[in-house]
Structure formats: structure tokens, C-alpha cells
Amino acid sequence: MQQKKRILTGDRPTGQLHLGHYVGTLKDRVRLQDEYDCFFIIADLQVLTDHLENYSSIESNVFEVMCDYLGVGLKLENTFFVQSQVPELAELTMYFSFLVTLPRLQRNPTVKDEAKTYGVTNISYGFLGYPISQAADILAFKADLIPVGQDQLPHIEQTREIVRSFNRVFGKEVFALPEPLVGEVPVLVGTDGTNKMSKSLDNFVAFAHSPEETERRILNMVTDRKRAYRKDPGHPDECFAFKYWSVFASTDTLLVRQECETAARGCKECKAQLTGKLNERLAEIRERRQCYVSQPDLVWDILATGTKRARAVATETLEEVREAIRISFPRLRVSIKGGQ
Ligand code: ATP
Ligand code: MG
């Protein structure tokens, strides 16, 4: 029997996951989890890129993200793991770093955007180089498919370049080219109507939010900037709330469009209705999520099992990598446990 192909994807534990993650990548993960051998990374070290000063909540954030995963319907049989607990990833990052030039890193459009959005003026070596660390996360597991939002595409391209140069420079086909898979909505704009919905920008609706909090956030949402008065006809194609209708309640869009364009519905009532639809869709996810939140030992056990499995796979890849680079040195292997 042919082995299942492998997926590697994940999130930074900077807070709770939200609707942007759902349509950008989580939905695909849920859909593909039976067909693929799935590895889900919680990339805690990557948080250091832009949250150096605010790292104290990392453990609770890892827990939250893990509960979000289980809440949206990812199954326990998948491999869930924490990046920092697989040190082989840092080692692989080191090897890959020699294959990427500085101008190449500086050209990465997502890194440039993030540096601007988060106001990182004195960009660190680690921030600039995080796409290399992401390549290591993907290639340590020899993943075939990477379900991600659109902002991650430059990083997958960088990963593919690393595959080509590694295999060429070291003369061995250690890695194959991974393919990205972008979700049904490549970029969901947040409730501010300007930026990508993002944990760091507080323009999001999280799975962890209560129905009331969801209502508050949706009612404050920016809608149609061209519609000044209730009696004016609306422009659904330029309205952010309408975008949410088409993503989360698509069967109603014809009616909503018609009522909006004829000014039969106002923005406030439109958003109130949308809140109802969203809360309906989120109810099951929230209930399942809450069930895991109340069982922290179980959640940490799932992560411990996954991290062990991830480490075993990464260790195997690293053996191969060291051999290709010719730094295996079998005669210098020291066992720190046995003392010989
Ligand atoms: P942070 O603000 O901490 O960077 P984030 O909300 O941007 O967090 P990430 O952890 O950077 O989330 O992204 C995780 C995955 O979710 C990536 O594949 C990313 O492309 C996808 N994603 C995140 N936000 C959105 C969005 N608004 N629309 C579509 N996909 C998204
Ligand atoms: Mg991000």
C-alpha cells in the first residue's frame, strides 16, 4: 500500500485563532486530515520575531491554539507539536541559512509587510530569517502539501528554492519540492475593513469569543464606505460585511444583495443578522472547544505525544542531512546518557 502523503502547516501561538485562519487554512486542514498524514506545528519560536518583549503568555497561548485546533474538528490522531521542543528544527535552520542570500531575504514581500504593519524598524536577524526557519519546519518532515493563507506563499517559494539549492550543492536528492494549498478565501480582511484579520491587530472574531463578544465586534465592523445615509442604496461588492455574508452564509447573499442595493436593509440590521448567522455556525466549534479547555491534562498529553513523534521523524531527516553535508562523524558520536 502506498504511504499517505504528508501535510505540514501550523500557526504562531500569539493568541486565539479566528475566522481568518478558518477560511484561509483550517477548513482545508479539516477536509484533508483523513487523506494525509498531518503534522501541525505550533510555532512558538517564531513568536520571538516580533513579540520579544511580550512572551510571557506563550504557554497559555499554545494551549489556546491547541484547543482551537480540536474545536474546529482536527482529530486526535494527527501529529500536533510545539516547535521549540524539536531542536532538530533549529539545527536544520542553521544549515539552510548558508543557502540563502541576504538580498533574497530582504526581497520577501510578506516579511516587508509585517515589518511595516508591526512597526519593527530595527529588524532582527531572526525576523528577517524566519522564512528559513519555516523551510526547516516544512522540510524536516518532508511534507508534500502546505495548506496556508496567501501571505505565506513567498515563504513556500523560499522553501522550494532551498530544496533546489540543498540538493544541488550537496549532490543528493534529500528533499522533494512541497506544494502550497491556499484556502477558499486567501485573505480575509478584519473588522477594521483595512488589514488582514490578524491576532496581533485586534480586528478579529475568535472561536474563543462568546456570542456577545462576536456581536460587539461585528456591529462595530466597517461596512460600505460609500454609503452615507440609511436611505442611500448600498454597494455590496465594496462592503466588508457583505464579504462575510458570502463566506459564512452564502445561501443568503442574493437576498442580502438585493435589499442592500435598494436600501431595503440598513447596515446595522444587516450586521445584526450576520452576527446571528455567524454565531449559529460557530456554536458547535465553541462547544467542542470548551470541552477541551476544561481538560487541560488531556490537551497537553496530545501535544506531548505529537511532539515525540515529530522529533522522531525530524531526527531521521537530520541524519540524512548531516550525511549529505558530510558532517556525520560517526567516530565522534558521544552519548551523553551512557557516559561512554
Ligand atoms: P499574527 O498576527 O500573530 O501574525 P496571524 O493571525 O497573522 O497572527 P499566523 O499565525 O501568522 O496568524 O497565520 C497562520 C495561518 O493562517 C497562515 O497560513 C496564514 O496565512 C493564515 N491566516 C491568518 N490570517 C488570515 C486571514 N485573515 N485570512 C486568510 N488566512 C489567514
Ligand atoms: Mg501572521
Side-chain angles (χ1 to χ4, degrees):
M1 200 180 77
Q2 208 199 337
Q3 268 205 326
K4 278 186 183 175
K5 288 197 165 190
R6 190 168 282 164
I7 275 178
L8 178 294
T9 182
D11 302 272
R12 305 198 312 156
T14 43
Q16 297 150 342
L17 299 188
H18 52 65
L19 299 178
H21 297 110
Y22 190 63
V23 291
T25 147
L26 289 175
K27 239 177 131 180
D28 276 336
R29 301 184 201 177
V30 175
R31 180 172 64 84
L32 296 170
Q33 63 182 328
D34 294 325
E35 200 181 320
Y36 284 81
D37 179 20
C38 295
F39 280 63
F40 298 121
I41 181 170
I42 303 187
D44 57 341
L45 290 180
Q46 204 177 309
V47 178
L48 289 171
T49 51
D50 57 353
H51 288 64
L52 247 194
E53 312 288 340
N54 181 19
Y55 203 65
S56 56
S57 47
I58 201 74
E59 195 172 329
S60 61
N61 283 347
V62 168
F63 179 76
E64 295 282 339
V65 169
M66 193 55 211
C67 292
D68 283 327
Y69 282 171
L70 299 169
V72 296
L74 294 178
K75 298 180 187 166
L76 307 190
E77 300 83 66
N78 294 304
T79 303
F80 301 95
F81 68 101
V82 176
Q83 185 187 31
S84 63
Q85 303 309 302
V86 184
E88 289 73 19
L89 299 177
E91 186 183 339
L92 193 54
T93 303
M94 169 83 175
Y95 302 147
F96 287 167
S97 69
F98 300 107
L99 303 170
V100 185
T101 66
L102 202 54
R104 175 66 185 86
L105 288 172
Q106 285 164 331
R107 268 204 316 272
N108 185 309
T110 298
V111 174
K112 275 201 226 163
D113 269 8
E114 285 169 343
K116 215 168 22 177
T117 311
Y118 303 134
V120 183
T121 39
N122 282 321
I123 194 166
S124 72
Y125 168 63
F127 189 124
L128 191 65
Y130 89 76
I132 302 182
S133 140
Q134 215 166 297
D137 298 339
I138 293 169
L139 298 175
F141 304 98
K142 300 198 171 175
D144 302 286
L145 189 69
I146 324 294
V148 282
Q150 192 168 42
D151 58 319
Q152 301 296 305
L153 287 180
H155 305 340
I156 311 296
E157 193 42 47
Q158 175 72 82
T159 303
R160 291 165 62 87
E161 286 174 26
I162 288 175
V163 168
R164 289 192 198 97
S165 38
F166 186 97
N167 292 347
R168 180 178 50 78
V169 169
F170 298 112
K172 219 170 152 203
E173 293 289 305
V174 176
F175 299 110
L177 293 172
E179 294 291 337
L181 174 73
V182 174
E184 76 176 84
V185 182
V187 186
L188 185 72
V189 172
T191 50
D192 57 1
T194 308
N195 295 296
K196 181 189 91 140
M197 182 178 276
S198 175
K199 283 170 279 179
S200 309
L201 298 173
D202 201 22
N203 61 355
F204 62 97
V205 175
F207 303 114
H209 286 150
S210 64
E212 296 72 33
E213 178 66 14
T214 301
E215 180 173 30
R216 191 184 68 76
R217 285 176 179 251
I218 295 292
L219 290 184
N220 282 329
M221 185 176 181
V222 174
T223 50
D224 177 353
R225 291 193 167 101
K226 284 195 185 153
R227 188 178 184 185
Y229 300 103
R230 167 71 181 80
K231 62 175 176 33
D232 296 343
H235 313 84
D237 294 320
E238 290 165 61
C239 170
F240 293 101
F242 186 74
K243 181 81 198 154
Y244 281 48
W245 274 105
S246 48
V247 175
F248 299 104
S250 57
T251 48
D252 300 307
T253 45
L254 261 174
L255 180 71
V256 175
R257 173 184 288 282
Q258 191 206 1
E259 290 183 353
C260 172
E261 284 174 342
T262 55
R265 73 164 49 216
C267 293
K268 205 168 159 206
E269 60 184 289
C270 186
K271 288 193 281 188
Q273 264 188 35
L274 174 66
T275 305
K277 292 281 176 188
L278 272 178
N279 279 336
E280 242 172 67
R281 275 202 69 172
L282 291 172
E284 191 193 336
I285 294 178
R286 284 174 175 152
E287 200 182 311
R288 205 166 26 217
R289 183 183 194 285
Q290 197 47 44
C291 169
Y292 286 104
V293 169
S294 61
Q295 303 178 76
D297 288 345
L298 171 64
V299 172
W300 286 111
D301 276 354
I302 298 166
L303 267 171
T305 308
T307 301
K308 205 167 152 197
R309 171 152 190 246
R311 232 193 134 175
V313 175
T315 300
E316 253 178 57
T317 305
L318 262 292
E319 290 277 331
E320 236 184 297
V321 165
R322 286 187 215 105
E323 242 171 63
I325 307 180
R326 296 175 196 85
I327 51 167
S328 283
F329 293 102
R331 282 194 279 186
L332 297 183
R333 292 224 175 144
V334 258
S335 156
I336 42 171
K337 281 213 184 89
Q340 357 225 315

